[in-house]
Amino acid sequence: MGDWTGSLPALTDADRRQVEAGLAEAGARIRAVLHIASTYHWESSPTEVPEWAAVASWPAEQRRSAALAMHLESSTSSTPTALNDVVRSLGDGDLPWTRSDLVWCLDVAGRGEEYDNGAHLELPAIIAARLAPAELVDLVPTLDALISELVHDYVIAVEPRRRAVLLIGQAIDRATGRRLPSRLLHNGDAFGPLVRAEMGTALDEPGVPELLTHCAALERPAAPATWQRRVDELLASTPGGVEVVRSVLEAFVAHGQSLHDDSDRLVRGLVWALSRQPDGWATDLLARVTATAAAAPRQASGFPHAQRTAVAAVQLLAARDGDAPVRTLARLAVTVRNKAVQSRVQAALARLGALRGWSLSEVLELAVDDHGLDSDGRLRTQVGAYEATIDVTGEKARLSFARDGDPLKGVPAQIREAYGHELRQLRDLVKRVGASLTAERQRLEGLLSEERTWPYADWSSRFLHHPITGAYARRLVWESSADGERWTAGLPQRDGEGWTIVGLDGRGVPGDRVRLWHPIRATTDVVLAWRTHVLAAGLTQPFKQAFREVYLLTPAEERTHSYSNRFAAHILRYRQANALMRVRGWQAGYLGTWDGGYDSEATKPFGGGAWRASFHHQLVTDEDPHRYDARYCSTDQVRFSRRDGAAWQPAPVVDVPAVVFSEAMRDVDLFVGVTSIATDPEWADRGDDRFHGYWHSTANAALSQSAEVRRDALARLLPRLTIAGRLNLTDRYLHVRGNIRDYRIHLGSGNIMMAPNDAYLCIVPGRDRTGRLHLPFDDDPMLSTILSKAIMLAADDTITDATVLRQLAR
């Protein structure tokens, strides 16, 4: 246990003898009952078996001693969780508890072991709740320190920990006269102390502790009618009650970090209290709270800041009027990685869309926030003598300052000193614009798996005139049609105040319907022509479109009928693979050496939510028995399901729309291509490693579809390099003529073999060395890696890295 035992008063020998009197006899008697109960194999609590009924008739002193004996047992030996019920059953009721009993129990718990069932906390909490305030006064420092330790403890199970904190906290509050319960806004996270410091005595005003206590008592995402009536009564009877709710929630938004479980429960109740307010400010605050609660740390994207709050807030926000709910939920739909929150966001958007007559895809489309930027992605505002400009450049938002029309470097000192609040608001807006850009890029790429069309006017206003969406849409190829049958592709081009689609021949494309171009619907000649055009125009598309891989159904997949084995039997670096799945919007349970942790199914919706792909993968057990982390996984089948109301029905691969099949398989190919151990340049020197055969065969295998597209991109890029004369592109390799040796780089894995004996060359990729070479897309890191390696090897006589030089000299 922790430092809280240091302030625990010592018991006199007389007090100890009084506490322990009859302990052995009572312990033997209760153990006899438990021995009989053990024949039930602990399938239920011992207190629920028939033999336990006799214990209720024991004299109070005997039950007291039995409870103390079981407390000693729970603190000094590993016991079944059911002992929690035994201690509670014995300790509850009108028993003659004394201060000495509590000190003895705390001393035993402090000197004993801490087990995750938390049974050692049950009796001290019960006794503390029974004692009079005068008997607790000198124990307050110890009890305070114990609570501080418990709220930071993530070993003890939630329910016994919460029960102990509740009862001991109530004892402290009775002894000290505190109005705000100790268990609320405690030190288990930074949020509790922050609110206490900011709100001070306002938290002790009449009615406020009762309001906060009631909010923290909400146990479910949906508040029962009785709970809602009571919160209405408390808000009406508490002066400034609504303002307290508002202030605490504003503090949570400003805090913007993960909450302790207890704080999460409190904020969830406050969200329900906020939902009782019909005004626009409440809707705006509810939207910001929802976004903050559903957000997650960058290093743990599947763990929201406040999951309980997020689940409840999503449902409440969807019931509000206005644009803020649509915008917030639409942004969360493409950014949230937690499965529980994501499913509720999708359901809320579908319900909201049905109420407003929109499809789910259209809801996401109409909800994109423009953040006050003009159609060119720019916002200018005056700050003192300076003009501040927020500008969307490429895929980022930037803040700059100018004075009298002259641009300045950095933030002027006067702005930092005199306009700190305005500067913080501008920087916050830049962050929000950046978040919208990230989400919109993902949403637009998702449209590639849909068969949607737009009237020309809607397409122009939603995609090209919009400052966020337009940052991407203006660099994508679109198709237009007059009859819905014949489609012609082109790039957006300004036409006065509007936009038109211009084809490869430089002429406008006629038609009143527009759709996003996908190479799967085009002939090979047209696809190649667009690749040439994109490169010649120096256009960097936000994601692969002209150079996008296409995956068509194979005869083998037609024979298997219900699944695809195309990417089965690969060995992936699991942590990297799991992270990449989440980045690409797939939801998957984490693999590990626990029940149910040996198999996982990653899923992602496609086709506007009408289809779902499932990618099965399994844990590769580690040969080291002392390692429990998941290092590698093996790949298995890809399957598809069709939405049927709220359920999913398995579908044969032959029934899956071509764009849905292609987009799903492209993601799986990405997982394999990026995280396979075959792409690890340091793997080849592992000698007798059990995966060496897989590494060797895969590192030099026939090219996958993504590698074939990479080869085509290289064929177009290499002539632009100054070292083009030293390069030769073949079916699987890029051959490089150096000054010391010749090399061949595999276009799939990026691995390098050296002539004349095919010796492996290990080069760990470093910073990009492609210089100013224009790449038509930036979502294929292997392309940049291959180009960087080729540039370095063509001048191998200038290499200074000692590790590489030793390999060249062998």
Side-chain angles (χ1 to χ4, degrees):
M1 300 296 283
D3 295 338
W4 61 269
T5 56
S7 59
L8 184 65
L11 279 178
T12 65
D13 291 341
D15 286 340
R16 185 174 297 277
R17 285 194 297 271
Q18 183 177 7
V19 172
E20 296 177 349
L23 198 65
E25 296 82 356
R29 189 171 184 183
I30 194 64
R31 286 188 184 89
V33 176
L34 293 177
H35 178 72
I36 297 172
S38 68
T39 61
Y40 293 87
H41 305 291
W42 299 101
E43 292 178 358
S44 59
S45 170
T47 62
E48 296 176 2
V49 303
E51 290 78 6
W52 189 263
V55 176
S57 63
W58 289 4
E61 189 60 40
Q62 196 169 70
R63 288 180 58 202
R64 168 188 164 276
S65 294
L68 292 170
M70 287 298 95
H71 172 68
L72 181 62
E73 178 82 9
S74 68
S75 299
T76 55
S77 64
S78 181
T79 54
T81 303
L83 199 57
N84 291 60
D85 296 339
V86 170
V87 175
R88 284 203 306 278
S89 180
L90 291 168
D92 277 342
D94 188 16
L95 299 182
W97 295 116
T98 66
R99 174 186 176 281
S100 295
D101 292 335
L102 177 57
V103 174
W104 183 87
C105 286
L106 291 171
D107 180 57
V108 167
R111 289 185 290 106
E113 297 293 332
E114 178 182 294
Y115 299 105
D116 59 2
N117 56 38
H120 62 291
L121 300 172
E122 300 285 1
L123 195 57
I126 290 172
I127 298 175
R130 297 287 193 277
L131 295 182
E135 297 180 281
L136 294 167
V137 172
D138 68 324
L139 296 178
V140 167
T142 299
L143 297 178
D144 259 336
L146 174 56
I147 283 189
S148 293
E149 179 177 303
L150 290 179
V151 296
H152 286 98
D153 196 315
Y154 290 95
V155 174
I156 299 174
V158 171
E159 288 308 316
R161 180 188 61 77
R162 289 187 65 215
R163 196 159 47 239
V165 170
L166 171 63
L167 294 177
I168 295 173
Q170 289 174 345
I172 294 173
D173 298 338
R174 286 188 291 108
T176 60
R178 295 176 187 170
R179 289 186 50 78
L180 183 69
S182 298
R183 64 187 176 89
L184 298 183
L185 300 171
H186 54 57
N187 297 335
D189 55 23
F191 177 66
L194 172 70
V195 174
R196 287 178 180 267
E198 287 187 356
M199 299 189 64
T201 57
L203 295 173
D204 294 324
E205 292 297 323
V208 173
E210 291 78 10
L211 174 61
L212 296 179
T213 300
H214 182 69
C215 288
L218 180 59
E219 291 292 334
R220 297 181 179 276
T226 53
W227 187 96
Q228 295 184 53
R229 286 195 295 271
R230 178 56 180 157
V231 83
D232 288 340
E233 293 170 359
L234 289 169
L235 288 172
S237 62
T238 303
V242 173
E243 188 57 36
V244 167
V245 172
R246 183 175 187 171
S247 297
V248 177
L249 291 179
E250 288 282 7
F252 168 61
V253 173
H255 180 59
Q257 298 178 27
S258 297
L259 295 186
H260 187 281
D261 181 72
D262 295 336
S263 297
D264 191 1
R265 292 171 185 268
L266 170 61
V267 175
R268 176 176 62 185
L270 291 169
V271 162
W272 268 95
L274 177 69
S275 72
R276 315 299 289 172
Q277 307 304 311
D279 302 327
W281 68 264
T283 300
D284 175 71
L285 178 55
L286 181 58
R288 290 186 286 121
V289 169
T290 305
T292 304
R298 181 176 299 177
Q299 67 276 17
S301 60
F303 298 90
H305 290 328
Q307 181 170 329
R308 287 183 170 83
T309 298
V311 167
V314 162
Q315 308 297 328
L316 294 170
L317 185 62
R320 311 286 289 199
D321 295 328
D323 294 335
V326 184
R327 286 198 305 268
T328 302
L329 293 173
R331 191 176 303 122
L332 294 180
V334 292
T335 58
V336 168
R337 296 289 174 258
N338 178 271
K339 195 170 185 178
V341 179
Q342 177 66 259
S343 63
R344 285 165 172 80
V345 169
Q346 294 287 351
L349 279 173
R351 187 169 62 253
L352 193 152
L355 290 173
R356 303 192 184 190
W358 301 332
S359 67
L360 176 58
S361 185
E362 193 169 11
V363 168
L364 299 176
E365 187 172 288
L366 293 169
V368 184
D369 196 347
D370 63 12
H371 299 286
L373 306 179
D374 62 25
S375 60
D376 292 324
R378 188 173 294 110
L379 173 66
R380 291 190 174 95
T381 183
Q382 199 69 27
V383 182
Y386 300 89
E387 182 182 64
T389 301
I390 295 176
D391 191 34
V392 174
T393 304
E395 300 182 18
K396 294 184 178 180
R398 291 180 172 84
L399 172 64
S400 61
F401 289 89
R403 182 164 186 172
D404 299 329
D406 296 325
L408 304 174
K409 292 183 178 180
V411 181
Q414 185 180 353
I415 295 292
R416 289 195 298 268
E417 295 168 2
Y419 297 94
H421 177 68
E422 290 81 355
L423 180 60
R424 285 191 297 273
Q425 287 184 318
L426 288 169
R427 285 174 169 168
D428 179 63
L429 179 56
V430 169
K431 290 181 181 178
R432 287 186 280 120
V433 172
S436 293
L437 286 166
T438 300
E440 193 62 354
R441 182 189 181 280
Q442 295 172 335
R443 186 186 74 83
L444 279 179
E445 189 172 12
L447 290 176
L448 286 167
S449 71
E450 296 187 44
E451 296 283 1
R452 282 192 64 195
T453 65
W454 295 265
Y456 200 95
D458 288 348
W459 168 76
S460 178
S461 63
R462 297 178 189 179
F463 288 89
L464 302 184
H465 286 287
H466 197 285
I468 303 298
T469 311
Y472 304 114
R474 298 163 196 160
R475 293 180 281 146
L476 294 173
V477 181
W478 299 82
E479 291 182 290
S480 184
S481 174
D483 57 9
E485 297 291 334
R486 291 168 296 180
W487 294 83
T488 306
L491 282 166
Q493 183 173 299
R494 286 192 182 275
D495 183 15
E497 294 298 319
W499 292 84
T500 188
I501 297 177
V502 176
L504 287 167
D505 57 5
R507 292 185 294 181
V509 176
D512 57 0
R513 303 292 300 181
V514 179
R515 70 182 183 186
L516 186 58
W517 181 79
H518 194 298
I520 201 170
R521 293 191 291 259
T523 66
T524 301
D525 290 342
V526 170
V527 172
L528 295 178
W530 274 112
R531 290 179 180 179
T532 301
H533 182 79
V534 166
L535 275 173
L539 181 66
T540 299
Q541 296 195 287
F543 45 79
K544 281 186 181 179
Q545 188 191 29
F547 284 85
R548 200 168 193 81
E549 304 86 352
V550 170
Y551 299 80
L552 301 176
L553 202 64
T554 65
E557 287 159 341
E558 292 176 352
R559 288 193 297 270
T560 57
H561 187 66
S562 59
Y563 61 87
S564 168
N565 260 340
R566 189 183 306 195
F567 297 109
H570 286 274
I571 306 297
L572 311 184
R573 301 186 296 276
Y574 178 62
R575 289 184 180 179
Q576 186 180 5
N578 182 263
L580 185 55
M581 289 176 202
R582 294 180 182 277
V583 167
R584 294 295 301 169
W586 293 69
Q587 303 289 334
Y590 204 82
L591 293 175
T593 53
W594 50 76
D595 288 345
Y598 290 87
D599 300 274
S600 184
E601 176 188 11
T603 61
K604 178 181 176 179
F606 289 90
W611 292 87
R612 186 178 72 177
S614 302
F615 172 43
H616 297 259
H617 50 289
Q618 293 84 36
L619 176 70
V620 175
T621 55
D622 203 300
E623 291 182 327
D624 182 353
H626 301 292
R627 292 200 63 142
Y628 300 101
D629 58 323
R631 288 202 292 172
Y632 310 111
C633 71
S634 61
T635 63
D636 208 329
Q637 301 170 356
V638 177
R639 292 177 176 266
F640 291 87
S641 302
R642 191 199 315 260
R643 183 180 289 279
D644 182 11
W648 293 97
Q649 297 299 330
V653 291
V654 294
D655 292 347
V656 180
V659 290
V660 170
F661 182 84
S662 183
E663 288 301 300
M665 300 301 282
R666 179 182 183 272
D667 270 2
V668 178
D669 191 5
L670 178 68
F671 304 152
V672 173
V674 172
T675 69
S676 168
I677 62 172
T679 63
D680 185 347
E682 298 183 283
W683 195 277
D685 294 329
R686 300 197 179 195
D688 295 329
D689 191 281
R690 58 178 169 153
F691 300 134
H692 184 76
Y694 164 78
W695 182 92
H696 190 272
S697 62
T698 307
N700 298 282
L703 301 187
S704 66
Q705 188 61 36
S706 61
E708 288 284 3
V709 171
R710 187 178 302 131
R711 184 189 183 284
D712 183 65
L714 284 167
R716 299 165 187 277
L717 292 168
L718 296 181
R720 300 166 178 253
L721 296 177
T722 57
I723 61 168
R726 291 179 171 268
L727 306 177
N728 179 37
L729 190 65
T730 60
D731 57 343
R732 299 187 190 182
Y733 300 95
L734 174 60
H735 294 261
V736 183
R737 177 168 53 84
N739 295 313
I740 299 175
R741 283 198 179 198
D742 291 345
Y743 313 87
R744 56 186 173 91
I745 307 173
H746 190 258
L747 302 180
S749 65
N751 290 319
I752 307 168
M753 297 297 179
M754 300 184 289
N757 57 346
D758 276 352
Y760 177 75
L761 174 61
C762 175
I763 298 179
V764 179
R767 62 184 180 86
D768 178 66
R769 295 184 59 184
T770 58
R772 297 184 179 181
L773 179 65
H774 164 69
L775 300 181
F777 46 81
D778 60 4
D779 53 355
D780 183 3
M782 185 58 72
L783 176 63
S784 298
T785 296
I786 290 173
L787 285 169
S788 298
K789 289 181 176 180
I791 292 170
M792 181 179 69
L793 294 174
D796 54 2
D797 56 339
T798 65
I799 294 175
T800 58
D801 186 280
T803 304
V804 177
L805 290 175
R806 280 197 300 270
Q807 297 177 78
L808 295 180
R810 286 175 187 170

